[in-house]
Structures are given as structure tokens and as C-alpha cells.
Amino acid sequence: MQLDIFQVDAFTSETFGGNPAAVCPLQTWLPDATLQQIAAENNLSETAYVVRNGEVFELRWFTPTVEVDLCGHATLAAAWVLFEQLGENRDILRFATRSGELRVRREGARLAMDFPARQPELVAVPPGLLQALGLEQIDALYRTDDYVVVVEDEAIIAGLNPDFAALAAFDVRGVAVTAPSRHFDFVSRWFGPRVGVNEDPVTGSAHTSLAPYWAKRLGKCSLSAEQGGARKGQLHCEVLDNDRVIISGHGALYLRGTIFI
């Protein structure tokens, strides 16, 4: 069997930036074990699989170790492949996913993803979290399916060097650490060793929590953001009144090839 595969750098307009994701368009679904094996072989933070079903595309995301409920950068990558490589000429793509229907539309040179917003709730800091992050103190801790750790200096973000084994012990999808920024409305880094991704360069799904937090704190609905450590990407977020958040960014093709299985 031969399968097409694309690798797209999401949330950047240039290769070697943003967050790479593999995209495999399929005619029909393969066994879950095969999908997981391909994702493990790709060894990227996410591999997206797309199957057309009438006017909707079924979309699933796999890390090297597990299937996940939502992935922003691999959704953007999948939409980019459909628009730019496979000739989809409609303005809006509809995806059926484990998190409900997601829509991606063209917005000038960017692609805009319409996701459900997740309102972070203030929680107590669990024992060991600060030590795992290498932090002495934080401003606040919030939770959705991720921990959202708020600090007040973006230099702290750049200097993070977590203990990934210790972070993997916490019962959350991942840990986002965020701060206000001089050049963007906010910056962040995201760590997910529990789901097989020590650090994700740019995590669109994390911004479904980060954007509502910063929108409330800054009193504005349109936000600029940058995420990453050594490798960075940029996002634009718009928090809507209907518990949705629009997350937009660019994509850049790195490779197109064939899988033989």
C-alpha cells in the first residue's frame, strides 16, 4: 500500500519555523493500530489523517504514542494541504472531529480556525509542579485540559528547562506557561510529556484556553501571540462572544512524499 504524506510547518510563512505536522489524506480509514504506527514512525508531535465524507472531512490526530481530541497546528496543516496541494477551492473547510465540527477558512494569506473556547479555572498549585518546571514562584495557576501557568516576565518563558519525567506525572494533557510580552499580547511555551510530546513548538489547541484568559485580563478580543523556545511561531487569536475562538496563522510546505506499508 502506498499513501501520500505531506509535512507542513504550521504557524509560520517560512520553512524551519512554526510547528511541523504530517498530513496523510486517506481514501478510507485504516486500522487504528496502523494509524498509530505511522504517527510513531513519523516521530512528529502530530500526524493528521483526513478522509472525505461528502461535504465534510473526517479528521483525526495522533501523537507518536496516543490519539488526541484536538490539535490546532495539525488542523491548520491539514487545511493548508487541502487548499494548497489538493485543489480544494471552497472558502471554508468543515472537519468532523472528536471535538465536534471545526471550520477553517481562508483569511487573506492566513488560514483561520474556528475552535470552541475553553475558559480556564483558577486552581491551587499542586505539590511538585513548580519544581518540575524549575520555577520558584508563579503569578497564578489555571486549568482546562491543560495547566495554564501565568508568570509576569517573558524572560522566564525563554529560560524554562523543565523536568519532563516529573511533568508527565501530572494528570493533565500538558502544561502551558505564559506571560505578557513587549512585542505580542502574550507569549507561551507548552510541554506535554504525558502525551508523548516533551515540548510542542506551537500549540493551536492550547490557545483555546490561553486566548480567553488573556482577552479577559487585557480587556481586548483580538490578540497577537508567539509560542516557542528555540523554534517559534506566531498566531492571531480572536475571542468571540459565542464561546468560540478564531486562531489563525500561515503554513509552509516542507515535504511531499509517499509512505510504503
Side-chain angles (χ1 to χ4, degrees), residues 30-187:
L30 301 175
D32 287 3
T34 303
L35 300 179
Q36 189 63 73
Q37 286 177 314
I38 293 171
E41 188 76 7
N42 290 339
N43 200 31
L44 295 169
S45 63
E46 302 285 349
T47 295
Y49 300 96
V50 182
V51 173
R52 182 189 292 274
N53 185 357
E55 295 298 309
V56 177
F57 292 92
E58 297 175 1
L59 175 62
R60 297 170 69 184
W61 311 276
F62 286 75
T63 77
T65 59
V66 296
E67 183 175 7
V68 296
D69 292 337
L70 183 65
C71 179
H73 83 278
T75 301
L76 188 147
W80 194 93
V81 167
L82 291 169
F83 277 133
E84 302 297 336
Q85 296 293 304
L86 300 182
E88 288 296 325
N89 57 12
R90 66 189 78 181
D91 291 330
I92 298 176
L93 298 177
R94 296 165 55 206
F95 293 103
T97 80
R98 283 168 52 162
S99 292
E101 182 173 290
L102 305 178
R103 297 189 177 197
V104 182
R105 71 175 187 271
R106 295 182 186 270
E107 194 174 76
R110 295 186 302 205
L111 297 183
M113 303 178 290
D114 183 346
F115 282 174
R118 296 173 174 174
Q119 297 295 336
E121 296 184 359
L122 187 66
V123 295
V125 179
L129 179 62
L130 297 192
Q131 292 87 339
L133 290 169
L135 296 174
E136 294 184 0
Q137 63 181 21
I138 62 174
D139 186 60
L141 178 68
Y142 295 82
R143 179 169 180 162
T144 53
D145 58 340
D146 294 332
Y147 278 140
V148 176
V149 179
V150 181
V151 297
E152 289 306 313
D153 186 348
E154 63 183 318
I156 295 173
I157 303 287
L160 286 170
N161 185 24
D163 179 338
F164 295 119
L167 275 187
F170 293 94
D171 187 21
V172 288
R173 184 189 68 147
V175 178
V177 186
T178 186
S181 169
R182 293 183 297 275
H183 304 294
F184 301 89
D185 288 311
F186 65 93
V187 295

Side-chain angles (χ1 to χ4, degrees), residues 70 115-120 145 203-212 245 247:
L70 183 65
F115 282 174
R118 296 173 174 174
Q119 297 295 336
D145 58 340
T203 315
S205 59
H207 287 74
T208 63
S209 303
L210 291 167
V245 58
I247 300 170

